Structures are given as structure tokens and as C-alpha cells.
Amino acid sequence: MTELPASTMKKLGLVIDLDTCVGCHACVTSCKGWNTENYGAALSDKDAYGADPVGSFLNRIHSFEIQPETGPAQTVHFPKSCLHCEDAPCVTVCPTGASYKRVEDGIVLVNETDCIGCGLCAWACPYGAREMDPVEQVMKKCTLCVDRIYNENLPEEDRQPACVRTCPAGARHFGDLGDPDSDVSRLVAERGGFDLMPEQGTKPVNKYLPPRPKDEQIDVLAPFLEPVAATPSGFLGWLDKALEKL
Amino acid sequence: MHPAASIITFTTLSGLGFGLLVFLGLGFPPVEGLNAFIFFAVAFALAVGGLISSTFHLGHPERALKAFTQWRTSWLSREGWAAVITLSVMGLFAGLIVLFDLRIAPLGWLGALACLATVYITSMIYGSIRSVPRWAHWSTSAMFLAYALSGGALLSGQVPAAIILLALTGIGQFVAWQAGDARFAASGSTAETATGLGHIGKVRLFEAPHSGGNYLTKEMVFVIGRKHATKLRAIALLLAFAAPIVILLLPFYHMLAALAVLSHLCGVLITRWLFFAEAEHTVSLYYGRSAAA
Ligand code: SF4
Ligand code: SF4
């Protein structure tokens, strides 16, 4: 049913720390792996070793350069996947009911056997979080690893999205953003977590944490390497002048 | 947005077909007999042909019937219903005229109204996509309706109406293009809001997620041809509106009527191509393409 639920019991989602992400793409790889071997149609690749390879991914890492008014530019690695929006425009446009938002946890999913592959939901998503699989011709998107997080066959520490479990930098956090006391909600409050493109009115559940401000003085050793005297005197002064004359 | 041939054909042909049905439904001209058969056959061929062409765009056309289920929220689903209902009403109206020489005028009026509703609903598939600011505006629907009406007037041979409607649609399209050019900037979405990092400084894509293209860049970050946009707009206005108007003003326009229709059709196809090719999607902000590109 493509009518959005008025509210969901939980708001499961991710908190992504842009301060910590090192841009290694490990989450991209683990996501592709898990979602190719498990729930739904495999995430295919076409012409993988040819001249024009394409493939479907549910998570991609962009890198941005940010140039402040003064001072050096800064690089920020920016993972992006479905934000499991509260007001998900991708769901309401779907003509078949294949796209839906779950009442119990707020996860936005695609029922692949109902999807006609019209692509309208991918148009409606402002973030580019949905991709049509080039082989299966059905819409693929982040499931928040719905087949891991409730999976009692997995050890408890593995019951989180593959990307979160994999991230070597600890830049990805998973939890209930509807519960103000959850770890993720507190993290968002402490670090000033924000929404992407709030002007699009989608009310994303996933939040991003901003890079921490750069320290003013980063180099602790530099002061010890300052030249001892600005104008050398004594032997060095003589040498300087002698060399100058040559 | 990627200008897929199937969708351009769909919106162009079905728009013309429903436009012609509007006039036939209202009794302009009041066709009967073989004449009626030919007129209605052309109109249905255009409308149905367009709808069939739209299914070529689907990844799984064999499941197309499922698209009738979500009319409560989805304009695409409503489009399916509207087309079926409208074609049934007009089919009945046409059938009675052709087979029994029986014209039930109110049925025709109802059908004409349904045709307009269908064109409006088609336009809302695009007009409701907020992430494409150029489309998300009432003018999208206004232009779809204007195109259907002017094309319908032309096809049904309503010369004075066609001249006026074509002129108005042409002017409207010109204004809509101008206004549309500024709409992405006005939407407020920028690389800074897309990343939420504008408080630090100016945001620029440093490295794309991958070196090749993907579904998103192919489907929604289409940029080819935008540099020729001005030329194409001029050609489109000339073919779709100026040329047909001139032909209709000639004293011997009857012989050239087919030419006027053909010219109009080519012009509309170009405007529809531009409708997609020029539409910028907010996802392009993540791929380093500025809206102005
Ligand atoms: S990020 Fe895109 S695909 Fe995910 S819920 Fe929001 S609009 Fe839908
Ligand atoms: S591509 Fe599939 S999930 Fe997306 S709108 Fe179309 S039918 Fe629904």
C-alpha cells in the first residue's frame, strides 16, 4: 500500500559521521555482497570487465571538497544510501504498491514481485537512493538489512546492517531515531546531526554528523623547529656573507 | 532527465489523441458515418498507441495490471484508470455514432471532459515530482492541456480555433521555458543543502563514487543537448506553432492540412524531448553537475 503510515512504531535508521568516515568504500562492498547473496534479486553488474561497466548499488561514497572563505579546503567523504524518509515521496508515486513504508519500524522497502520497473520512485527520490537493477529490471534500494537486524540465526553482534558492521572507522551507527533516549538519538543531539536537503520536505530518518571544526594549531612540533636566529651572527654570519659574495 | 523515446512518444501521441477526442466529443466537427469512423479511428490510434508505447518503458510490462491498484496516491496509477474510463466512454459515444447513427451529445461532453482530465492526470505524473523543480509547477499541467487542445483543434480541422490555440500555446511555451530556467535555483537545493556542509564553505564534488556511469547518472543527470537548447526551442516553436498557423492562414490550406499536422507533430516531439532533456533533478547535485549546466 503506497499510502504512508501516519506514524511508525519505530524509526530505524542510520547516523553517519562525516568526521570519522575515511572514504574506504568498505561499506559499499559489504552492502553489495550481503544484498547480492540474500534478500531479493541479486545486485547485478553488467559488462563488469568491459569498456562500459554498470551495476546496481544501494550505497555509494561521494567525496566533496569544501572551500571555506579563508584557509585551506577540506575533503569530506560522504556515504549516501536511502534515508528511510518519514514523508517518502518514492512510496506515494508507486502505481503498484510495490514500494511501501513499514508501520512497525519505518523501513522503506520494495516488494520486488509487484514492481513493474517504471522507475518513477527513483525520479521521486531527491537523493538518488534507488537504482533499477540492470539485469532484473526491478527497483533496488537499501533495506536497512531487514534480513540481518531481526535474524536470530546470526550472532547478536551481527544483527545490524552490513555497512555498520563493516565500517572500520566506526563512522556508521544504527538504531531507533524515534526514541529520544536511544544511543543514536543522543549522538545526533550531542553532535548536531542534520538532515540532507530539508527543503525537499521528505523528513529523512537518517542523520549526518558534521565534521568537527579543525584545531587552530595542529602541529605541536613546529615551534621547536623555528630558526634560532633570524639574522645569523658569528661564524654562520661570516659564512652567509662569504657565500653571498661568491 | 533522460529523454526516453517511449515516454516522449507516449505523451505526444496520447496528448494529440485525447485532444482530438475532446473536439469530436463536443461535436466539432459533427461527424457521422464513414467520416466519423475515420476521425475516431485516428483519435483512438493516437491515444491507444501512445499508451502502448508507454509500456515499453517498463522493466516488467507483464505486470502492468498491478499499476491499477494505487490510485489513492499515485498519479501513474490514476493515469491508467483515467485512460481506460475515458476510452470506454468515448468508445461508446463513437460506436453509437458509427454503427447506429445515434449521437448522444451529453455522452460526448462527458467524454470530452474525461479526455481533459486524463491529460491533466498525465501531466501530474511529472508535475508532482518535487525533486525536478522545472516540472513541479502548475504550468506543466497547463502546457500539457494547451498542447492537447491546440493539437486537437488542428487535427479536427477547426481552423479559427486552431489558429488561436496554437498561437496561445506557442506563447505559453515560450514563457514556460523562460520561467522554468530559473526554477531549480529558486527551489533552494544546492550542493550545500544536499550535503548539509554549507556552513563550512563552498561544496564541490572532489571525487565521484565510481569512475563510470550508473542508473542515476544515465536516467537523471542527463546533460547532452542542453547546449543546443536555445536552437532547439526556436526550431520547435517554428514547427509546432508558426508553420501550422501560416499554413492555416493560406487560402488553399486544405491541400496543406496534412503538412500542418506533420509539422506540428515534429515540433511537439522536439518540445517533449526538451521537456525531459532540460529537466534537472536534485540528484545531479551529488554528481557535481550544477543546475545551470
Ligand atoms: S531516501 Fe529516497 S528512496 Fe529513501 S525513503 Fe527517502 S525518498 Fe525514498
Ligand atoms: S519502479 Fe517499481 S517500486 Fe518504483 S514506482 Fe515503479 S512499480 Fe513502484
Side-chain angles (χ1 to χ4, degrees), chain B residues 259-275:
Chain B
L259 195 64
V261 170
L262 198 66
S263 170
H264 178 73
L265 182 65
C266 294
V268 177
L269 283 171
I270 299 175
T271 65
R272 283 293 145 82
W273 189 88
L274 284 167
F275 178 77

Side-chain angles (χ1 to χ4, degrees), chain A residues 181-200:
Chain A
D181 290 327
S182 66
D183 288 350
V184 279
S185 295
R186 278 201 239 124
L187 193 58
V188 170
E190 265 166 44
R191 294 274 309 280
F194 57 83
D195 288 350
L196 304 186
M197 282 197 268
E199 71 279 3
Q200 286 284 329

Side-chain angles (χ1 to χ4, degrees), chain A residues 92-96 116 118 120, chain B residues 6-7 9-18 46-55 58 64-88 114-128 141 144-145 148 272:
Chain A
T92 50
V93 297
C94 177
T96 62
I116 54 173
C118 66
L120 198 55
Chain B
S6 56
I7 311 191
T9 318
F10 154 56
T11 59
T12 306
L13 296 189
S14 71
L16 271 178
F18 285 117
L46 288 170
V48 177
L51 290 170
I52 290 174
S53 135
S54 75
T55 63
L58 302 181
L65 282 183
K66 291 189 196 264
F68 285 96
T69 60
Q70 303 303 312
W71 50 272
R72 279 194 209 80
T73 64
S74 164
W75 286 102
L76 184 51
S77 183
R78 288 172 196 162
E79 150 81 21
W81 279 107
V84 168
I85 293 171
T86 304
L87 290 173
S88 312
C115 289
L116 290 176
T118 306
V119 174
Y120 172 75
I121 289 171
T122 308
S123 76
M124 282 307 287
I125 297 173
Y126 309 100
S128 64
S141 301
F144 268 66
L145 285 167
R272 283 293 145 82

Side-chain angles (χ1 to χ4, degrees), chain A residues 94-96 98-99 110 115-121 130 139:
Chain A
C94 177
T96 62
S99 277
V110 175
C115 173
I116 54 173
C118 66
L120 198 55
C121 53
R130 292 179 164 237
M139 200 47 78

